[in-house]
Every structure is written in C-alpha cells, then in structure tokens.
Amino acid sequence: MDSIERSMTMTVLGSTGSIGTQALEIAEKHGIRVRALAAHSNVKLLAEQAKRCGAEYACIYREDKARELEDLLAGTDIKVLSGEEGLKQTARLKVDKMLNSVVGMVGLVPTLEAIDAGNDIALANKETLVAGGDLVNKRAAEKGVKIYPVDSEHSAIFQCLQGNKSSQLDKIILTASGGPFFGKKRSELENVTVEQALNHPNWSMGNKITIDSATLMNKGLEFIEAMHLFGVSPEQIEIVVHRQSVVHSAVQYADNSVIAQMGVPDMKIPIQYALLYPERVECPVKALSLTDYGTLTFEKPDYETFDCLTACIEAITAGGILPAAVNGANEVAVRAFLDGKIRFLDIGRLVRNALETIENRPCDSLEAVLEADREARQLTEKAIENK
Ligand code: NDP
Ligand code: MG
C-alpha cells in the first residue's frame, strides 16, 4: 500500500475550504504528492498550504490577488497562476486524481478540462453534476475518465455497490440529516436568522452547503447528483430523514436485501475513499460506537415545508436545462440570504420562480448549461432587487 500511495499525484481545487483542507490532511498522512492547489481569494492560507505540501503550482482565481500570492511565495519554486485561465490550466495538469472541491457552478469548466486531460476526478463539487451531469458523464465516458464521489451519501452508495451488479440495483435510499430546522413548519421558519441556519446539528461545512442543508436544497442537489452518478431514475431514489447521520445512505437490491454504509459523521472517510479507492487504510477519524448512539431513527421528509427539495425533483424529472436553472437561482438566493438581503423562505420561492419562469430546452452543450445558469442568476437577482 505504501508504494501505491507514494507514487500517487493529485491536484486540489478549493484547497482552502472545508473539504480541501481535510483532503490535504489525508494527502499528507498517506504521502500523496500534491502538484497544484487552487483557491478563490484566500492567498494567505493558499501560500501556506502550497509551501507545506511542496506544490509546483498555486492558483488564485481573483487576478487582483496574484501579486500578493507571488510575494508570499517569493524565494520558492512554486509558480503562480490566476483567473479562469489559471484554474483551467491547474485542472489540466496531469495527475492521478484531481479533487474538485470548489463551491458552485464555477467548478463545471475545470471538471471538463480535467476530463479532457484524462485526469480521474474525486468530486465534491456537486453543483457541477447538477447543472451539467449529462455533459460531464458523456465526456468522462469518451475519455475513459473515472469519477469518484466525495459527497458522503454518494460515497456510501458507491461503497454499497462494490462487489454487486448495478443492474440488480432496485433503489437507492438517500439519507438526510434534516438540517437545523427539521420538524418545523413554514410559519416557524419565516424569521429564522442566518446564524440559526448556519448551525448544522451534525456536520461542519462551508457556508453555502450549510444553508443548502437547512433548506434541504442540498438533498435536492444530491438527488440529482445520485441520478447522474449511478444512472437511476427519480422513482428509484427514496429520501429518508435520519437525524443521527450515522447511516450515510443505503442501496436495495432485487432480492430486497439492503446494504448500508455507516460511520461517524466525518468527511475524512469519504474523502479518503475517493482518493485511495479501492484501498481501506487507517483514517484520522473516530471509530463508530453504535451503542453510544443507542437509537437510530428514520422518517419521511416534509416536502411541503422544504420546497427547495420538491423543486429539484421536479427539475430533474423534467430534465433539460431546468436542473441548471434551479441550481443557479439557488446560488444567488443563498448569497443574498447570507448577506441579509432576503429571508430564509425566500430562497425556496426564488428557486421555484426560476423553475416556473425559465423555458425548458435541451441541455446538450456547455453553452446551453452556462446560458441557463446565467438566465437563472439574472432572473433571481432581478426578483431580489424588486422585492
Ligand atoms: P467552502 O466554502 O468551505 O470552500 C470552498 C473552496 O472553494 C474554497 O477553497 C474557496 O476558496 C474555493 N473557491 C471558491 N470559488 C472558487 C473559484 N472561482 N476558483 C477557485 N477556488 C474557488 O466549501 P466546502 O468545502 O464546504 O464545499 C465545497 C464543495 O463540496 C461544495 O460543492 C459542497 O457542496 C461540496 N460538499 C461539501 C461538504 C462538506 O462537508 N463541506 C460535504 C459534501 C459536499 P477561498 O477560500 O479562497 O474562498
Ligand atoms: Mg452530502
């Protein structure tokens, strides 16, 4: 195992975020050689990380920060890249695996670039698959590139599929923690604050996904993500609220046997599995003690209150550009909520507005996906301005 790990190379897009920092911990522990890192604006942490892991390239998306990054890396051999072009270049660098853990639709183009370069992908950036899943799958199949899920539920499903025939898969049981507002009705959610919405009961994550977890948009995005990763229909996915986040998801086969994957709620397990697949070696997380939990509960989601979830299922059932549209609207709405411009329930209203206003059309090219995303963003920004 040691020799396999030592010879492995990777790139991390979004290295300064919640997933990125944990991935670098795993890489360091197992001696994976990190060739390049990319972040949006946090030059200080990016420079520290690049020096620590001996990266060859550090890429900062914000071009106005490139000079600062160069100063921070003065005296090293680390080359600085920047902007959209720099991000694409970073994605194309030849490695065994490119981890895409940037947040949002901005991850789509680098994912496609990495596929074109023949790099296998460890994918945390779920917005990529939601908006452009067909495109990503088609290109990956053409290039023989593999996509390893990092999202805990999808990693669980992927793990449950090992050693079995996908053709005998009956359905996927996608678990959801329910977020901080599970059990609440709409009248109780009108005035929730950003701070309350950011207070996730089980997981510590970046702000955007934490808000998505509170609205259950995250589960809607994951529903779409699962369809693209595992080739199942909407009818083959059952969402189950499981408050403890111990069962990370399960699959049911034709014989009605259900296989689940369990563990403490810690992203290092799925991150490590995606990076080192198929190896299962020591991981810096606590062992699961089922008796400490005692009781595990399973309930149905409340589709009426959490309307983002319903909107995502409707969008993927309709197909075309609508998944990209609901995703784009949500990205703008979450930003506006975090900035105090709209209220919590407005997020769902704005997502539905995009679903119902934007005319559906085929999603057969990168341009079509990007155009749908742009249209949804403009529509949502306008709706927020006119409030
Ligand atoms: P964070 O907000 O913590 O981190 C986002 C990272 O992306 C940061 O490093 C940020 O840089 C970088 N970034 C943002 N925009 C760009 C850009 N244009 N170019 C380059 N880098 C960019 O997010 P998370 O780590 O929580 O989530 C990342 C992705 O993983 C999301 O898609 C999320 O849905 C998914 N995911 C996350 C989980 C988690 O536990 N956190 C679990 C499952 C999925 P900077 O720091 O400079 O802003
Ligand atoms: Mg998840």
Side-chain angles (χ1 to χ4, degrees):
M1 180 64 204
D2 263 10
S3 58
I4 299 173
E5 291 158 359
R6 267 196 207 109
S7 61
M8 184 182 159
T9 56
M10 74 182 287
T11 291
V12 182
L13 306 188
S15 62
T16 52
S18 164
I19 294 287
T21 48
Q22 296 181 79
L24 289 182
E25 214 184 299
I26 299 290
E28 187 168 319
K29 180 175 169 57
H30 295 291
I32 300 172
R33 188 154 69 82
V34 180
R35 292 199 65 194
L37 302 172
H40 178 263
S41 47
N42 189 348
V43 277
K44 215 164 154 245
L45 182 55
L46 179 63
E48 270 171 36
Q49 291 178 330
K51 284 186 201 165
R52 187 177 170 107
C53 69
E56 295 159 55
Y57 298 88
C59 170
I60 195 75
Y61 189 79
R62 266 184 54 184
E63 291 182 345
D64 59 318
K65 295 262 182 183
R67 186 63 201 272
E68 203 181 331
L69 183 59
E70 274 167 11
D71 290 346
L72 288 164
L73 292 174
T76 72
D77 291 336
I78 305 165
K79 294 176 204 64
V80 170
L81 302 171
S82 65
E84 170 94 23
E85 199 40 56
L87 191 60
K88 286 194 212 163
Q89 226 177 307
T90 311
R92 283 197 299 264
L93 193 69
K94 193 67 200 132
V95 282
D96 294 311
K97 244 167 225 166
M98 188 202 73
L99 170 66
N100 189 344
S101 57
V102 304
V103 58
M105 252 295 282
V106 69
L108 179 59
V109 170
T111 291
L112 294 173
E113 293 285 333
I115 293 173
D116 285 344
N119 291 329
D120 281 346
I121 295 176
L123 191 67
N125 176 234
K126 63 189 85 182
E127 295 89 349
T128 301
L129 274 183
V130 169
D134 290 337
L135 211 62
V136 170
N137 278 339
K138 188 164 169 271
R139 282 240 202 140
E142 279 164 9
K143 293 276 174 184
V145 158
K146 293 193 189 67
I147 298 178
Y148 297 92
V150 170
D151 212 345
S152 59
E153 294 78 0
H154 305 76
S155 173
I157 296 160
F158 181 60
Q159 293 181 55
C160 297
L161 290 170
Q162 300 304 310
N164 293 290
K165 291 185 180 159
S166 296
S167 59
Q168 293 172 349
L169 175 71
D170 189 10
K171 72 170 181 183
I172 284 172
I173 299 166
L174 186 68
T175 54
S177 74
F181 303 135
F182 177 70
K184 298 239 183 302
K185 292 289 164 204
R186 292 185 74 82
S187 57
E188 298 168 271
L189 294 178
E190 274 296 350
N191 295 316
V192 297
T193 62
V194 170
E195 201 190 357
Q196 287 169 322
L198 283 175
N199 188 21
H200 196 280
N202 303 343
W203 298 95
S204 161
M205 312 177 282
N207 281 354
K208 194 256 176 185
I209 184 174
T210 307
I211 299 301
D212 286 348
S213 300
T215 59
L216 260 66
M217 182 75 189
N218 184 51
K219 211 46 57 180
L221 298 177
E222 290 183 354
F223 187 99
I224 301 173
E225 187 186 7
M227 286 177 59
H228 288 300
L229 283 170
F230 306 112
V232 293
S233 65
E235 299 73 37
Q236 282 177 292
I237 305 178
E238 180 188 4
I239 298 173
V240 172
V241 177
H242 165 50
R243 296 294 281 158
Q244 298 78 22
S245 298
V246 166
V247 175
H248 297 303
S249 278
V251 301
Q252 179 178 303
Y253 287 96
D255 60 356
N256 280 344
S257 176
V258 174
I259 301 182
Q261 186 263 339
M262 292 192 274
V264 291
D266 191 317
M267 285 307 295
K268 287 196 215 57
I269 296 176
I271 293 170
Q272 178 169 304
Y273 193 67
L275 294 179
L276 297 187
Y277 172 86
E279 305 295 337
R280 287 190 181 274
V281 288
E282 197 189 322
C283 185
V285 299
K286 262 187 19 194
L288 172 66
S289 164
L290 282 173
T291 50
D292 279 356
Y293 281 92
T295 308
L296 298 180
T297 58
F298 301 95
E299 294 162 78
K300 287 195 163 76
D302 174 352
Y303 289 97
E304 237 166 81
T305 302
F306 296 96
D307 52 352
C308 284
L309 176 57
T310 321
C312 285
I313 296 173
E314 282 176 36
I316 189 66
T317 305
I321 54 138
L322 292 183
V326 293
N327 178 68
N330 180 62
E331 286 193 30
V332 172
V334 170
R335 184 70 262 157
F337 174 67
L338 285 168
D339 291 343
K341 291 185 188 152
I342 59 169
R343 294 195 299 174
F344 182 74
L345 288 179
D346 291 332
I347 301 173
R349 292 187 191 109
L350 290 165
V351 167
R352 177 148 292 278
N353 181 45
L355 178 70
E356 288 176 357
T357 311
I358 292 176
E359 202 182 316
N360 203 5
R361 44 191 190 264
C363 189
D364 43 13
S365 66
L366 176 59
E367 289 64 42
V369 179
L370 297 178
E371 175 54 31
D373 178 65
R374 240 188 330 265
E375 193 180 343
R377 282 170 196 271
Q378 278 167 6
L379 179 81
T380 309
E381 274 156 14
K382 219 173 195 175
I384 294 169
E385 266 168 41
N386 294 340
K387 252 175 66 68

